[in-house]
Amino acid sequence: MLYRDEAIVLRTHKLGEADRIITLLTRQHGRVRAVAKGVRRTTSRFGSRLEPFTHVDLQLAEGRNLDTITQAETIAPFAKGLGLDYDRYTAGTVMLETADRLVTEEREPSVQQFLLLVGGLRAMTAGEHGPGQVLDSYLLRSLSVAGYAPSFEHCARCGTLPNPGAGPHRWFNPSMGGVLCATCRVPGSANPAPETVALLAALLSGDWAVVDVAHPRQLKESSGLVSAYLSWHLERGLKSMAYVER
Ligand SMILES: [Zn+2]
């Protein structure tokens, strides 16, 4: 059985002499691992279309274990746009690894994760916003879609909103799921600046008017908290995160 789908190439690894196994996040079939035959030969008809970051239109043949890629056309070569900028490239790598880790079930449709990743890579390539902020916004949203939505307004434990005019809740704890009020705060919680909590909420909602004018100190503090939140929800840390300056 042949089928078509579009996908982002998440990663690849070698198989035998000339083939690769390509891990894909597809639009309609979720995470799919498929064989690309002869892709490592210089004469391969796939060219560089099955490299990580590429947004491809695919035809696949269903197999008993792994499907086989029979056709691939490039929709957007995101690697080209990212390749020249170290910060954008490394941040993009974290996005691919995060998608790979959050979408765990094979063939379980995950349209929202697919659209978030395409949108995130497009923003990372376009260069209109800081790479760290495109990454942080993507991480918060993909975690939310995966069922780990952080709370930056209501207390994550008791649900109360801060008093009007009092600014956001002052404590943040990844294991509790977001900000905490003074009553609920637990030992070991971070105590970010109120502007940082507002920035985190803006990153989650995609309010770029707020994000783009934020102070570098707040950008750094929010990135640290996003990283802490992400590590809490992933069993193992991300390899690619080590290369991103936070
Ligand atoms: Zn509370």
Side-chain angles (χ1 to χ4, degrees):
M1 271 291 282
L2 290 176
Y3 67 98
R4 294 197 80 87
D5 205 343
E6 57 176 297
I8 298 285
V9 177
L10 299 180
R11 63 191 166 98
T12 74
H13 60 264
K14 291 178 185 173
L15 177 70
E17 288 290 303
D19 307 341
R20 274 188 205 280
I21 293 178
I22 315 286
T23 304
L24 304 153
L25 180 58
T26 69
R27 180 191 277 267
Q28 296 165 57
H29 299 80
R31 190 173 190 276
V32 169
R33 293 192 324 134
V35 178
K37 289 197 171 127
V39 73
R40 282 156 58 210
R41 293 187 219 279
T42 49
T43 54
S44 167
R45 65 206 161 90
F46 294 123
S48 61
R49 276 166 274 173
L50 296 175
E51 297 292 327
F53 290 113
T54 313
H55 184 191
V56 273
D57 184 48
L58 297 170
Q59 187 186 68
L60 299 107
E62 255 176 68
R64 201 182 303 163
N65 295 314
L66 292 170
D67 296 349
T68 301
I69 297 173
T70 52
Q71 280 175 26
E73 297 300 333
T74 303
I75 297 172
F78 289 123
K80 262 192 194 137
L82 297 171
L84 301 170
D85 184 312
Y86 181 78
D87 290 340
R88 289 185 187 278
Y89 186 84
T90 50
T93 306
V94 174
M95 292 166 68
L96 296 188
E97 195 181 348
T98 301
D100 194 18
R101 295 280 292 278
L102 289 179
V103 184
T104 48
E105 292 293 314
E106 306 231 341
R107 292 169 192 291
E108 185 89 5
S110 190
V111 186
Q112 272 184 295
Q113 288 289 8
F114 173 79
L115 294 175
L116 265 181
L117 185 60
V118 172
L121 290 174
R122 194 175 289 137
M124 194 63 86
T125 313
E128 287 164 21
H129 310 293
Q133 288 62 63
V134 174
L135 173 61
D136 288 342
S137 182
Y138 169 77
L139 294 175
L140 291 174
R141 291 193 208 188
S142 59
L143 282 162
S144 299
V145 168
Y148 311 122
S151 172
F152 298 122
E153 284 163 14
H154 296 79
C155 169
R157 199 176 196 179
C158 73
T160 54
L161 279 167
N163 292 326
H169 290 312
R170 305 260 318 271
W171 288 271
F172 176 84
N173 195 307
S175 68
M176 303 297 295
V179 291
L180 297 170
C181 70
T183 313
C184 295
R185 73 181 160 125
V186 291
S189 300
N191 181 212
E195 296 86 347
T196 302
V197 178
L199 173 59
L200 286 164
L203 287 163
L204 177 59
S205 64
D207 187 351
W208 292 99
V210 171
V211 174
D212 288 342
V213 299
H215 193 281
R217 198 186 311 133
Q218 262 77 62
L219 296 178
K220 197 173 166 58
E221 191 173 36
S222 64
S223 287
L225 297 176
V226 173
S227 291
Y229 192 75
L230 178 71
S231 341
W232 174 260
H233 289 289
L234 296 178
E235 271 177 37
R236 296 167 281 121
L238 296 178
K239 277 183 278 174
S240 52
M241 193 63 100
Y243 300 100
V244 178
E245 207 174 309
R246 309 295 274 174

